[in-house]
Amino acid sequence: AAELGLSMHPRGRVRTLPNIAGFVGADTVGVLAAGDLEHRKGLHAAVDIGTNAEVMLSENGRLSACSTAAGPAFEGAKISQGMRAQPGAIDAVTIGDDIFIHTIGDRPAQGICGSGIIDALGELRRVGMLEASGRFTDLDDLPLLPEALRARMTDEGVVLVWAKESGTGRDIVLTQQDVREIQLVKAAIYAGIATLLQKLGHTPEELDGLHIAGAFGTYITKEHAVAIGLIPNIPLEKLVFLGNGAGIGAKMALI
């Protein structure tokens, strides 16, 4: 421990969990332990969402894994006004007659983090402002859209927070390019799940459980995750949030 500068007994031992292979590392072993996948009966999948999204599949204890290059969009990178989940980040979005947001710490909005992006896309799809292709719908095709929502659809994108209400002094906008970045991420994650299922001769409908890990995965709305195709369309009761699975697994190993 002393060699690493850790604040513990200088002769304390430091151990790491084993690497599986390639980009499927020790954090995935932690998720494996946290979700107890090895001992579950039936067909279960687990996804650790991060810049690399690791996917595991357990069929009555038989384990398979892969890694997908999901990218850092859910952590705020490559999103025009994206940010990590910290005070001032939009973490929840709902749409009624207008767009309503919540920020971490109830601070004036500085940007948007992963859970807020999923909420925004799910809600925009629900009310028809976003097409299935990921393209923003033309206003001419939305004659019944409330006036407040029509005003938010600009050439730049959809305004989530007006400048006078934001913490940056400018509009916080979800752009068309932002949507495309999220489509790349969710396609990678979905492809990882589908590939492992196909390798073992199964379909998403046969899953008995899907476990979502990663600090980000704790706060996403189940309905929106399914609605935008981030995860397979399975009954919501089969979806389990593990939270920081790698951290939980490390604690289990320590104990």
Side-chain angles (χ1 to χ4, degrees), residues 91-107:
D91 63 343
V93 178
T94 56
I95 298 179
D97 292 336
D98 201 352
I99 293 179
F100 305 94
I101 60 100
H102 177 268
T103 64
I104 297 174
D106 293 317
R107 305 275 186 85

PDB file of all heavy atoms in Angstrom, residues 91-107:
ATOM      1  N   ASP A  91     -30.540  15.704 -15.066  1.00  0.00           N
ATOM      2  CA  ASP A  91     -30.543  14.248 -14.909  1.00  0.00           C
ATOM      3  C   ASP A  91     -31.915  13.636 -15.143  1.00  0.00           C
ATOM      4  O   ASP A  91     -32.063  12.413 -15.122  1.00  0.00           O
ATOM      5  CB  ASP A  91     -30.018  13.855 -13.522  1.00  0.00           C
ATOM      6  CG  ASP A  91     -30.897  14.356 -12.391  1.00  0.00           C
ATOM      7  OD1 ASP A  91     -31.719  15.264 -12.633  1.00  0.00           O
ATOM      8  OD2 ASP A  91     -30.760  13.840 -11.262  1.00  0.00           O
ATOM      9  N   ALA A  92     -32.937  14.475 -15.355  1.00  0.00           N
ATOM     10  CA  ALA A  92     -34.278  13.963 -15.629  1.00  0.00           C
ATOM     11  C   ALA A  92     -35.035  14.972 -16.468  1.00  0.00           C
ATOM     12  O   ALA A  92     -34.897  16.183 -16.288  1.00  0.00           O
ATOM     13  CB  ALA A  92     -35.029  13.689 -14.323  1.00  0.00           C
ATOM     14  N   VAL A  93     -35.831  14.465 -17.412  1.00  0.00           N
ATOM     15  CA  VAL A  93     -36.608  15.310 -18.321  1.00  0.00           C
ATOM     16  C   VAL A  93     -38.003  14.717 -18.470  1.00  0.00           C
ATOM     17  O   VAL A  93     -38.148  13.510 -18.674  1.00  0.00           O
ATOM     18  CB  VAL A  93     -35.950  15.405 -19.719  1.00  0.00           C
ATOM     19  CG1 VAL A  93     -36.803  16.237 -20.663  1.00  0.00           C
ATOM     20  CG2 VAL A  93     -34.547  15.992 -19.622  1.00  0.00           C
ATOM     21  N   THR A  94     -39.016  15.550 -18.359  1.00  0.00           N
ATOM     22  CA  THR A  94     -40.387  15.127 -18.650  1.00  0.00           C
ATOM     23  C   THR A  94     -41.012  16.162 -19.581  1.00  0.00           C
ATOM     24  O   THR A  94     -40.649  17.344 -19.566  1.00  0.00           O
ATOM     25  CB  THR A  94     -41.248  15.012 -17.371  1.00  0.00           C
ATOM     26  OG1 THR A  94     -41.215  16.259 -16.670  1.00  0.00           O
ATOM     27  CG2 THR A  94     -40.726  13.909 -16.467  1.00  0.00           C
ATOM     28  N   ILE A  95     -41.954  15.697 -20.390  1.00  0.00           N
ATOM     29  CA  ILE A  95     -42.620  16.587 -21.347  1.00  0.00           C
ATOM     30  C   ILE A  95     -44.127  16.488 -21.167  1.00  0.00           C
ATOM     31  O   ILE A  95     -44.703  15.396 -21.179  1.00  0.00           O
ATOM     32  CB  ILE A  95     -42.237  16.241 -22.802  1.00  0.00           C
ATOM     33  CG1 ILE A  95     -40.724  16.429 -23.019  1.00  0.00           C
ATOM     34  CG2 ILE A  95     -43.017  17.118 -23.780  1.00  0.00           C
ATOM     35  CD1 ILE A  95     -40.253  16.089 -24.424  1.00  0.00           C
ATOM     36  N   GLY A  96     -44.755  17.640 -20.991  1.00  0.00           N
ATOM     37  CA  GLY A  96     -46.205  17.760 -20.961  1.00  0.00           C
ATOM     38  C   GLY A  96     -46.589  18.822 -21.973  1.00  0.00           C
ATOM     39  O   GLY A  96     -46.336  18.678 -23.172  1.00  0.00           O
ATOM     40  N   ASP A  97     -47.168  19.928 -21.497  1.00  0.00           N
ATOM     41  CA  ASP A  97     -47.421  21.068 -22.383  1.00  0.00           C
ATOM     42  C   ASP A  97     -46.138  21.838 -22.662  1.00  0.00           C
ATOM     43  O   ASP A  97     -46.110  22.719 -23.514  1.00  0.00           O
ATOM     44  CB  ASP A  97     -48.455  22.005 -21.754  1.00  0.00           C
ATOM     45  CG  ASP A  97     -49.837  21.369 -21.687  1.00  0.00           C
ATOM     46  OD1 ASP A  97     -50.096  20.458 -22.495  1.00  0.00           O
ATOM     47  OD2 ASP A  97     -50.634  21.769 -20.828  1.00  0.00           O
ATOM     48  N   ASP A  98     -45.092  21.534 -21.903  1.00  0.00           N
ATOM     49  CA  ASP A  98     -43.786  22.152 -22.076  1.00  0.00           C
ATOM     50  C   ASP A  98     -42.736  21.119 -21.632  1.00  0.00           C
ATOM     51  O   ASP A  98     -43.074  19.999 -21.247  1.00  0.00           O
ATOM     52  CB  ASP A  98     -43.682  23.431 -21.241  1.00  0.00           C
ATOM     53  CG  ASP A  98     -42.594  24.377 -21.746  1.00  0.00           C
ATOM     54  OD1 ASP A  98     -41.831  23.982 -22.647  1.00  0.00           O
ATOM     55  OD2 ASP A  98     -42.500  25.496 -21.205  1.00  0.00           O
ATOM     56  N   ILE A  99     -41.461  21.490 -21.679  1.00  0.00           N
ATOM     57  CA  ILE A  99     -40.384  20.602 -21.230  1.00  0.00           C
ATOM     58  C   ILE A  99     -39.998  20.992 -19.807  1.00  0.00           C
ATOM     59  O   ILE A  99     -39.745  22.167 -19.516  1.00  0.00           O
ATOM     60  CB  ILE A  99     -39.163  20.696 -22.162  1.00  0.00           C
ATOM     61  CG1 ILE A  99     -39.511  20.118 -23.541  1.00  0.00           C
ATOM     62  CG2 ILE A  99     -37.975  19.939 -21.564  1.00  0.00           C
ATOM     63  CD1 ILE A  99     -38.386  20.197 -24.543  1.00  0.00           C
ATOM     64  N   PHE A 100     -39.957  20.008 -18.937  1.00  0.00           N
ATOM     65  CA  PHE A 100     -39.611  20.220 -17.538  1.00  0.00           C
ATOM     66  C   PHE A 100     -38.387  19.374 -17.201  1.00  0.00           C
ATOM     67  O   PHE A 100     -38.316  18.207 -17.573  1.00  0.00           O
ATOM     68  CB  PHE A 100     -40.784  19.858 -16.629  1.00  0.00           C
ATOM     69  CG  PHE A 100     -42.058  20.579 -16.970  1.00  0.00           C
ATOM     70  CD1 PHE A 100     -42.993  19.983 -17.816  1.00  0.00           C
ATOM     71  CD2 PHE A 100     -42.304  21.851 -16.491  1.00  0.00           C
ATOM     72  CE1 PHE A 100     -44.157  20.648 -18.158  1.00  0.00           C
ATOM     73  CE2 PHE A 100     -43.468  22.535 -16.827  1.00  0.00           C
ATOM     74  CZ  PHE A 100     -44.399  21.922 -17.656  1.00  0.00           C
ATOM     75  N   ILE A 101     -37.430  19.986 -16.516  1.00  0.00           N
ATOM     76  CA  ILE A 101     -36.171  19.292 -16.223  1.00  0.00           C
ATOM     77  C   ILE A 101     -35.896  19.300 -14.723  1.00  0.00           C
ATOM     78  O   ILE A 101     -36.440  20.097 -13.968  1.00  0.00           O
ATOM     79  CB  ILE A 101     -34.980  19.929 -16.986  1.00  0.00           C
ATOM     80  CG1 ILE A 101     -34.801  21.418 -16.580  1.00  0.00           C
ATOM     81  CG2 ILE A 101     -35.193  19.831 -18.491  1.00  0.00           C
ATOM     82  CD1 ILE A 101     -33.728  21.691 -15.583  1.00  0.00           C
ATOM     83  N   HIS A 102     -35.042  18.364 -14.317  1.00  0.00           N
ATOM     84  CA  HIS A 102     -34.515  18.351 -12.945  1.00  0.00           C
ATOM     85  C   HIS A 102     -33.002  18.322 -13.049  1.00  0.00           C
ATOM     86  O   HIS A 102     -32.447  17.681 -13.953  1.00  0.00           O
ATOM     87  CB  HIS A 102     -35.004  17.127 -12.171  1.00  0.00           C
ATOM     88  CG  HIS A 102     -34.432  17.035 -10.780  1.00  0.00           C
ATOM     89  ND1 HIS A 102     -33.266  16.322 -10.498  1.00  0.00           N
ATOM     90  CD2 HIS A 102     -34.839  17.583  -9.612  1.00  0.00           C
ATOM     91  CE1 HIS A 102     -33.003  16.443  -9.206  1.00  0.00           C
ATOM     92  NE2 HIS A 102     -33.928  17.187  -8.651  1.00  0.00           N
ATOM     93  N   THR A 103     -32.332  19.019 -12.153  1.00  0.00           N
ATOM     94  CA  THR A 103     -30.870  18.993 -12.151  1.00  0.00           C
ATOM     95  C   THR A 103     -30.351  18.417 -10.842  1.00  0.00           C
ATOM     96  O   THR A 103     -31.025  18.492  -9.808  1.00  0.00           O
ATOM     97  CB  THR A 103     -30.270  20.408 -12.322  1.00  0.00           C
ATOM     98  OG1 THR A 103     -30.636  21.209 -11.197  1.00  0.00           O
ATOM     99  CG2 THR A 103     -30.749  21.049 -13.608  1.00  0.00           C
ATOM    100  N   ILE A 104     -29.188  17.845 -10.898  1.00  0.00           N
ATOM    101  CA  ILE A 104     -28.530  17.327  -9.696  1.00  0.00           C
ATOM    102  C   ILE A 104     -28.250  18.495  -8.753  1.00  0.00           C
ATOM    103  O   ILE A 104     -27.679  19.516  -9.163  1.00  0.00           O
ATOM    104  CB  ILE A 104     -27.227  16.596 -10.059  1.00  0.00           C
ATOM    105  CG1 ILE A 104     -27.533  15.371 -10.935  1.00  0.00           C
ATOM    106  CG2 ILE A 104     -26.472  16.171  -8.802  1.00  0.00           C
ATOM    107  CD1 ILE A 104     -26.310  14.659 -11.464  1.00  0.00           C
ATOM    108  N   GLY A 105     -28.670  18.349  -7.518  1.00  0.00           N
ATOM    109  CA  GLY A 105     -28.471  19.400  -6.533  1.00  0.00           C
ATOM    110  C   GLY A 105     -29.424  20.567  -6.682  1.00  0.00           C
ATOM    111  O   GLY A 105     -29.278  21.582  -5.995  1.00  0.00           O
ATOM    112  N   ASP A 106     -30.409  20.423  -7.600  1.00  0.00           N
ATOM    113  CA  ASP A 106     -31.380  21.504  -7.849  1.00  0.00           C
ATOM    114  C   ASP A 106     -30.688  22.823  -8.182  1.00  0.00           C
ATOM    115  O   ASP A 106     -31.167  23.904  -7.828  1.00  0.00           O
ATOM    116  CB  ASP A 106     -32.307  21.682  -6.643  1.00  0.00           C
ATOM    117  CG  ASP A 106     -33.214  20.474  -6.442  1.00  0.00           C
ATOM    118  OD1 ASP A 106     -33.744  19.972  -7.445  1.00  0.00           O
ATOM    119  OD2 ASP A 106     -33.369  20.032  -5.290  1.00  0.00           O
ATOM    120  N   ARG A 107     -29.549  22.739  -8.863  1.00  0.00           N
ATOM    121  CA  ARG A 107     -28.820  23.934  -9.287  1.00  0.00           C
ATOM    122  C   ARG A 107     -29.328  24.390 -10.664  1.00  0.00           C
ATOM    123  O   ARG A 107     -29.906  23.594 -11.413  1.00  0.00           O
ATOM    124  CB  ARG A 107     -27.321  23.621  -9.395  1.00  0.00           C
ATOM    125  CG  ARG A 107     -26.704  23.040  -8.117  1.00  0.00           C
ATOM    126  CD  ARG A 107     -26.281  24.114  -7.157  1.00  0.00           C
ATOM    127  NE  ARG A 107     -25.567  23.556  -6.022  1.00  0.00           N
ATOM    128  CZ  ARG A 107     -24.262  23.280  -6.009  1.00  0.00           C
ATOM    129  NH1 ARG A 107     -23.524  23.509  -7.080  1.00  0.00           N
ATOM    130  NH2 ARG A 107     -23.698  22.790  -4.912  1.00  0.00           N
TER     131      ARG A 107
END
